[in-house]
Amino acid sequence: MQLPDLDRDADPWTLAGSALAPEAGPRARIELALHTALTAPSPGNCQPWRWFAGGELIELYRDPARTSGDADPDGQAAALACGAALGALRVALRALGLAEQTALLPGGHPDLLARVAVGGRASPLPEEQWLYQAAPKRRTYRGVMAQGPLSRALSKRLGAMVDGTGAELHVVEDMARKQAIAAAVEAAIAGEPTARAAARAAAGEPGVSFEGPDGAEARGPAIADGAPAFVIVTTAGDDPAEWLRAGQALMRVLLRARVDHAWGSFLHLPLTESAGRKHLASLIGATGRAQALARLGGGADSPPTPRRPLSEVLLAQRPS
Ligand SMILES: Cc1cc2nc3c(=O)[nH]c(=O)nc-3n(C[C@H](O)[C@H](O)[C@H](O)COP(=O)(O)O)c2cc1C
């Protein structure tokens, strides 16, 4: 792709994961990585991020105007989504040959979530290129998934994705544990306060679980039956830095899954509050907190959910 094609008003899905001419400089590479970051998932597709890029420094800011205090009282889901966008950005920078160093919550502004310092050239590994190229193909897949266990090789590859992120990945395939998770999801759906359900609907979240074989949203034991596997990202603690770590890990897992033709869909309701995050971790024998829960399995391609273009989320100057 030639440099003039890098239009900030372009649909991020059309640019994400694409190649640049070898002579492209760092600025074009950084912008292409930013387009790729915009394809990250977020609750109700709220895209709660803003970016600032000056020289070879990239900063990620939360966008308080796009978060819902009723649906997401701790801001955990919004931070997780911002972490996913940060994860996609870092994958893209490396795939585009740029080395980077990232500091989480560097301070100086209450909404500043991460500062990425780009410095020098890096030789990307083939796997980093695959993850990057998978970004425009990743979707949340809420249809009926092909049944059957994940291959052992895929489980192992997914586990490797969280190495060095500070988060852990748990792949759950045995029916007893899947049923326990489904029961926690069902309890969260059934017990959701009315105001929260309204806020979630107003935020545009199209699903609570996913579609069962009868076309209705899966509830109760059908949640376990419809999930070939659950993947759960856990962290030791439960604070914004941990949410950002978990989001990055989640994004890498979803991209690696897509490389291997597996799709994910989220079941986030039981994780809305700290007690639920602790409970879900205990159900799978983990000590920390569950930060993300998704089912994973074979799906099918579908058109992407629209994203805001880079021109809307790239700040001309740092927020005051
Ligand atoms: C933290 C988080 C929570 C989410 N919660 C749910 C959920 O409970 N149910 C659901 O169907 N999708 C959920 N999603 C998926 C979003 O709806 C989806 O990412 C968004 O609509 C954009 O679609 P895409 O992922 O296909 O690009 C969640 C995503 C994130 C990052």
Side-chain angles (χ1 to χ4, degrees), residues 142-145 147 210-219 222-223 225-226 295:
R142 297 187 186 81
V144 175
M145 285 183 168
Q147 286 301 326
F210 50 84
E211 191 185 310
D214 59 357
E217 196 161 57
R219 296 288 300 265
I223 294 173
D225 294 338
R295 79 178 171 139

Side-chain angles (χ1 to χ4, degrees), residues 13 39-45 76-78 80-81 84 138-142 200 204-210 250 265-269 304-305 307:
W13 290 109
T39 65
S42 59
N45 200 27
Q76 186 265 359
L80 195 76
R138 187 211 57 80
R139 312 269 184 272
T140 297
Y141 179 77
R142 297 187 186 81
R200 200 171 37 72
E205 182 53 72
V208 179
S209 67
F210 50 84
L250 173 69
S265 76
F266 297 79
L267 298 133
H268 203 69
L269 211 54
T305 303
R307 292 295 191 270

Side-chain angles (χ1 to χ4, degrees), residues 89-203:
L89 177 86
R90 296 178 69 191
V91 161
L93 287 172
R94 285 195 294 269
L96 290 165
L98 293 176
E100 53 81 26
Q101 281 208 313
T102 296
L104 299 180
L105 301 172
H109 191 282
D111 294 327
L112 178 56
L113 299 177
R115 181 174 292 134
V116 181
V118 177
R121 300 302 293 259
S123 302
L125 299 169
E127 189 164 52
E128 291 171 327
Q129 309 262 28
W130 302 339
L131 296 182
Y132 172 62
Q133 287 159 10
K137 294 189 263 174
R138 187 211 57 80
R139 312 269 184 272
T140 297
Y141 179 77
R142 297 187 186 81
V144 175
M145 285 183 168
Q147 286 301 326
L150 302 187
S151 75
R152 255 197 199 177
L154 175 56
S155 290
K156 211 169 151 199
R157 287 197 282 269
L158 296 178
M161 285 298 103
V162 307
D163 286 351
T165 63
E168 284 186 25
L169 183 73
H170 308 261
V171 180
V172 176
E173 296 187 88
D174 81 87
M175 199 31 116
R177 280 199 167 166
K178 284 201 297 185
Q179 290 289 10
I181 293 168
V185 174
E186 178 56 35
I189 298 174
E192 187 181 23
T194 316
R196 183 169 298 163
R200 200 171 37 72

